[in-house]
Amino acid sequence: MNRHLPWVSVVVCVLTLGCLATTQGQVTLVVTDGNITCIKAELSASFLITYDTANRTTSVRVPLPQTATVGGNSSCGGASAPQQLVAEFGVGHSIDLTFSSSKGQYRVDDIKLHYNLSDSSVFPGANRTGVVTVETNSTDIVAQVNTTYRCFSVSFVSVGGVNVTFSDVKMEAYMAGDDLSPKETVCKADQSTTTAPPPTTTTAPAPTPPGIPALGDYFVNSSNGTKCLLARMALQLNISHVSSLNQTIQEVVNLQPNQTTSSGSCDPNNAVLVISQGGATNLSFFFTLNSTSNRYHLNGLSLVATLPDMAAPFSASNMSLNYLSSSKGQSFMCSSEQTLTVNQNFSLNTFQLQIQPFGVTAGTFGQAVECRLDQENMLIPIVVGAALAGLVLIVLVAYLIGRKRSHAGYQTI
Ligand SMILES: *[C@@H]1O[C@H](CO)[C@@H](O)[C@H](O)[C@H]1NC(C)=O
Ligand SMILES: *[C@@H]1O[C@H](CO)[C@@H](O)[C@H](O)[C@H]1NC(C)=O
Ligand SMILES: *[C@@H]1O[C@H](CO)[C@@H](O)[C@H](O)[C@H]1NC(C)=O
Ligand SMILES: *[C@@H]1O[C@H](CO)[C@@H](O)[C@H](O)[C@H]1NC(C)=O
Ligand SMILES: *[C@@H]1O[C@H](CO)[C@@H](O)[C@H](O)[C@H]1NC(C)=O
Ligand SMILES: *[C@@H]1O[C@H](CO)[C@@H](O)[C@H](O)[C@H]1NC(C)=O
Ligand SMILES: *[C@@H]1O[C@H](CO)[C@@H](O)[C@H](O)[C@H]1NC(C)=O
Ligand SMILES: *[C@@H]1O[C@H](CO)[C@@H](O)[C@H](O)[C@H]1NC(C)=O
Ligand SMILES: *[C@@H]1O[C@H](CO)[C@@H](O)[C@H](O)[C@H]1NC(C)=O
Ligand SMILES: *[C@@H]1O[C@H](CO)[C@@H](O)[C@H](O)[C@H]1NC(C)=O
Ligand SMILES: *[C@@H]1O[C@H](CO)[C@@H](O)[C@H](O)[C@H]1NC(C)=O
Ligand SMILES: *[C@@H]1O[C@H](CO)[C@@H](O)[C@H](O)[C@H]1NC(C)=O
């Protein structure tokens, strides 16, 4: 039965050279059988899992961590057995992709997710324990044999009620070589990204910083039509990429609010804001609410961008972030410039930011809680003012003392 199992070696990310090249937030998984590599995947993924506590139903977004390892049930298949990639993480959690190949194509036939409700660090207050398995046989991941399946865009797959988010994906099964094929099968979502005309920015992309970006208003509607996420912010992308001349170029690009559209979704504990610019740039924000503490934070950022001088679209994702934290019903505010680092190739600069992903009432921002940078910036004028006042006081006192002395001296004469 499992005759391939003994030869399937577990490849831990840290031990493979390829891992050094991968970016933060992304997981690299390699399935080998003896000296043959049959599946390689570089991807970011997260799982939006709904579960019950004693009082209510809640949901949690669980990222596929970089510590995920290739499980022993992975397989390079055989005459009748399919190829299989099992990524294990945490205590008893795993995602399992089953591939098949026919007519010059390979595809993901089946996705299984196992999650362990006994893990109270991930599922606090769950009203039951044990491993839950969900599965789908409906995926649209398909590619030509001897090409790499590439899907940088964010895509969602419903796996038995769990909403699985993939982004920044490069993956190949039924491999002929040891590494991903240079030829790619590009998913539909990325095709619309690349075939869209480049953004109609009037200025050619200059190496000089483009100045402060313009302020934009963005929002997400909930299913009943009320605004559930509000954002006002000026955004700047700081991207480091390899040009068509094979040079590493760092570019700073402003988003043009008048060329963007926003969309997304809200559920009680998770909210997504997607900002699209001219079909060539998609920036997604993932927020999560901890319903115990009633605090939210930005836990994921994902970017797909095609700039005019790019050889290939640029992508970056990180689903384990912790930025823009505040309480439900309040908005997070940061007038100062702040840098949200996603990985070594991408960071997002924000200016004049105010955002509220949860507890929006009547379409307006709740009480604003200022970021530390703003508080420090407010402190500087106060400190300078106090110092100046102190100085004036000292000069005044010195003058008065001096006057009194000379007066006294005059009197003694
Ligand atoms: C793997 O390759 C090494 C040398 O590169 C060779 O000695 C070994 O026999 C090979 N193992 C298998 C299972 O092919
Ligand atoms: C957990 O809660 C759900 C919804 O409240 C309920 O349907 C289910 O029976 C509960 N399960 C257990 C084991 O208590
Ligand atoms: C759940 O309900 C119990 C009793 O109904 C209450 O004491 C407890 O505070 C509730 N827990 C939460 C998190 O609301
Ligand atoms: C491997 O698969 C078998 C049956 O498909 C299952 O019983 C076993 O628990 C799995 N092992 C691991 C480590 O997941
Ligand atoms: C599920 O989590 C619990 C608590 O962390 C752990 O004891 C148990 O071994 C896990 N189950 C599996 C199948 O790993
Ligand atoms: C894939 O590449 C291998 C090795 O280069 C070749 O033997 C095989 O025929 C190719 N398969 C397809 C479907 O092109
Ligand atoms: C997929 O699963 C459904 C039920 O879960 C089943 O009816 C259907 O036949 C399956 N399709 C394939 C191609 O296996
Ligand atoms: C998954 O979640 C995203 C964003 O939260 C939403 O747009 C999408 O409709 C969901 N998909 C499914 C199948 O639930
Ligand atoms: C719309 O849904 C939100 C939660 O998504 C809820 O807070 C709000 O009260 C609803 N508004 C109406 C008019 O039903
Ligand atoms: C690009 O440059 C790197 C080193 O800077 C080199 O290893 C690589 O082969 C070059 N690629 C191409 C296509 O020229
Ligand atoms: C968008 O705004 C910029 C300045 O912020 C302006 O130069 C440009 O003309 C505007 N474009 C459109 C299409 O309105
Ligand atoms: C939610 O907040 C509580 C209280 O601060 C904390 O103990 C818990 O670990 C948090 N849960 C998650 C999933 O982060």
Side-chain angles (χ1 to χ4, degrees):
M1 286 296 285
N2 267 332
R3 63 189 185 86
H4 294 277
L5 206 57
W7 292 283
V8 176
S9 56
V10 174
V11 180
V12 178
C13 182
V14 181
L15 299 178
T16 67
L17 265 176
C19 216
L20 297 173
T22 62
T23 55
Q24 218 176 317
Q26 223 190 13
V27 182
T28 298
L29 301 158
V30 182
V31 179
T32 58
D33 184 350
N35 288 351
I36 295 166
T37 301
C38 60
I39 306 174
K40 181 166 182 181
E42 297 171 355
L43 52 82
S44 291
S46 67
F47 315 102
L48 184 53
I49 300 173
T50 302
Y51 69 98
D52 291 318
T53 64
N55 298 7
R56 55 206 168 76
T57 300
T58 188
S59 67
V60 61
R61 186 177 292 282
V62 183
L64 180 65
Q66 279 178 285
T67 49
T69 56
V70 174
N73 271 5
S74 299
S75 162
C76 282
S80 57
Q83 292 197 349
Q84 198 152 331
L85 168 62
V86 180
E88 296 177 343
F89 57 100
V91 279
H93 313 297
S94 63
I95 179 165
D96 183 340
L97 307 183
T98 305
F99 295 84
S100 72
S101 168
S102 68
K103 302 191 189 108
Q105 291 187 319
Y106 65 93
R107 64 180 67 242
V108 175
D109 278 338
D110 191 271
I111 300 178
K112 267 198 205 78
L113 180 71
H114 305 274
Y115 57 94
N116 183 359
L117 286 175
S118 308
D119 183 353
S120 57
S121 64
V122 177
F123 305 106
N127 76 346
R128 56 196 185 107
T129 54
V131 175
V132 177
T133 299
V134 290
E135 181 174 8
T136 184
N137 62 7
S138 161
T139 82
D140 51 10
I141 302 177
V142 53
Q144 301 295 318
V145 169
N146 292 345
T147 69
T148 297
Y149 173 81
R150 191 258 276 174
C151 202
F152 288 160
S153 303
V154 174
S155 67
F156 303 105
V157 184
S158 175
V159 181
V162 174
N163 190 333
V164 178
T165 306
F166 289 111
S167 59
D168 216 0
V169 177
K170 273 189 166 189
M171 176 163 78
E172 186 173 0
Y174 297 90
M175 292 169 74
D178 286 342
D179 214 339
L180 293 174
S181 300
K183 278 182 70 179
E184 292 180 340
T185 299
V186 176
C187 71
K188 279 214 181 68
D190 278 13
Q191 285 170 15
S192 63
T193 304
T194 49
T195 53
T200 52
T201 40
T202 42
T203 49
T208 49
I212 306 278
L215 193 60
D217 281 302
Y218 307 97
F219 61 86
V220 176
N221 282 331
S222 68
S223 42
N224 64 15
T226 58
K227 287 181 183 162
C228 57
L229 183 154
L230 297 176
R232 169 171 296 164
M233 52 197 172
L235 300 174
Q236 191 173 63
L237 313 175
N238 187 341
I239 296 174
S240 152
H241 69 96
V242 177
S243 76
S244 43
L245 297 171
N246 199 20
Q247 288 168 320
T248 300
I249 293 181
Q250 187 173 9
E251 278 191 82
V252 179
V253 185
N254 289 344
L255 284 194
Q256 310 278 348
N258 57 6
Q259 295 170 13
T260 61
T261 55
S262 60
S263 60
S265 66
C266 298
D267 82 9
N269 294 90
N270 289 275
V272 184
L273 166 67
V274 183
I275 298 176
S276 306
Q277 178 167 298
T281 301
N282 271 319
L283 179 65
S284 306
F285 295 74
F286 295 83
F287 291 92
T288 186
L289 175 73
N290 178 334
S291 39
T292 314
S293 60
N294 254 339
R295 289 187 65 80
Y296 64 79
H297 68 273
L298 177 73
N299 72 326
L301 265 176
S302 176
L303 174 73
V304 185
T306 311
L307 300 182
D309 61 338
M310 279 185 177
F314 173 87
S315 78
S317 273
N318 192 335
M319 292 293 166
S320 318
L321 302 175
N322 189 0
Y323 295 125
L324 317 184
S325 177
S326 186
S327 296
K328 182 182 178 183
Q330 296 183 328
S331 58
F332 180 91
M333 192 174 208
C334 205
S335 308
S336 316
E337 174 179 0
Q338 55 176 349
T339 299
L340 312 182
T341 302
V342 173
N343 63 32
Q344 65 264 49
N345 294 328
F346 172 54
S347 54
L348 179 68
N349 300 332
T350 72
F351 304 79
Q352 295 169 274
L353 172 137
Q354 186 172 12
I355 197 159
Q356 184 174 343
F358 298 101
V360 172
T361 49
T364 55
F365 283 114
Q367 187 198 346
V369 175
E370 295 243 7
C371 63
R372 185 178 302 198
L373 279 171
D374 281 5
Q375 290 168 5
E376 282 165 6
N377 284 354
M378 255 188 294
L379 213 61
I380 291 169
I382 291 172
V383 167
V384 170
L388 277 177
L391 205 64
V392 166
L393 207 68
I394 288 168
V395 168
L396 200 70
V397 166
Y399 168 76
L400 288 175
I401 290 174
R403 218 172 82 117
K404 206 176 170 192
R405 269 213 194 126
S406 65
H407 195 66
Y410 181 75
Q411 263 188 342
T412 54
I413 288 174

